[in-house]
Amino acid sequence: MRLASTLKMVSLSSDPAIFNDGEVYFNTVAKTVRLASNGAWINMINTTNLETSFLREVSSITDGGSYMIVSSEQNSILLVDSASATTIIIPNNSTEEIEVGSSIKVARVGSGTVEFTEEAGVTLRTADSNYLTARWTTVELIKIATDEWLLDGEYPDIY
């Protein structure tokens, strides 16, 4: 790929007919960032879901007991701020459709333990434990296949 010595960024509603290698533009209709290279356009970023790709919503679980993850929480942060034990249920794809590749960061900020369990048909992969027993620790749930999740992060005070 040959790039021009200068970088030009423009915002357009359609593909320009004439362009130079190395130009980058944002298509305001297709919501894509494209790079001109060797006389053709290369799609670099589809910005339709850009906000959810880079920014994470933060929500809190304040009641103990059972809590099932929902699709709107994909690529978000859950703060578990409960004095009593909380069980976070990872749903199967037929219950709650969450995209493969999505992740959910879970932080224990309350005094109650946090346990992760899976709904029937879900496989949860973890190296150590499915508990967060220490306050101010985090793990990340990563959906690696349709009904398969990876639990990755800190595991202090493992049972």
Side-chain angles (χ1 to χ4, degrees):
M1 174 174 18
R2 185 176 66 82
L3 295 178
S5 60
T6 59
L7 184 63
K8 178 182 173 185
M9 179 72 171
V10 293
S11 182
L12 304 168
S13 61
S14 63
D15 292 340
I18 299 171
F19 54 87
N20 297 310
D21 281 355
E23 290 181 349
V24 176
Y25 88 101
F26 175 66
N27 184 312
T28 59
V29 174
K31 304 258 191 251
T32 56
V33 175
R34 296 182 181 180
L35 167 69
S37 176
N38 295 323
W41 287 108
I42 299 171
N43 285 334
M44 296 172 55
I45 301 172
N46 179 335
T47 60
T48 303
N49 295 317
L50 187 61
E51 184 175 313
T52 58
S53 298
F54 293 105
L55 302 176
R56 291 184 163 203
E57 292 291 323
V58 177
S59 56
S60 294
I61 301 169
T62 55
D63 298 328
S66 295
Y67 179 84
M68 184 174 290
I69 292 171
V70 294
S71 61
S72 62
E73 293 166 331
Q74 61 190 1
N75 302 317
S76 68
I77 299 171
L78 290 177
L79 301 178
V80 183
D81 191 7
S82 175
S84 56
T86 302
T87 300
I88 296 178
I89 303 166
I90 302 163
N92 67 42
N93 206 58
S94 62
T95 301
E96 200 66 39
E97 194 170 326
I98 298 172
E99 294 179 39
V100 172
S102 296
S103 67
I104 300 167
K105 189 85 161 182
V106 180
R108 179 181 160 201
V109 297
S111 58
T113 60
V114 178
E115 177 185 9
F116 296 90
T117 190
E118 58 271 54
E119 193 175 33
V122 174
T123 301
L124 178 60
R125 308 280 184 196
T126 181
D128 294 310
S129 170
N130 60 337
Y131 283 90
L132 271 177
T133 58
R135 196 172 188 187
W136 308 117
T137 55
T138 63
V139 293
E140 190 157 17
L141 286 164
I142 305 166
K143 189 166 185 181
I144 58 175
T146 300
D147 282 317
E148 188 173 359
W149 290 76
L150 174 67
L151 183 61
D152 182 43
E154 301 176 29
Y155 301 98
D157 305 325
I158 297 172
Y159 290 161

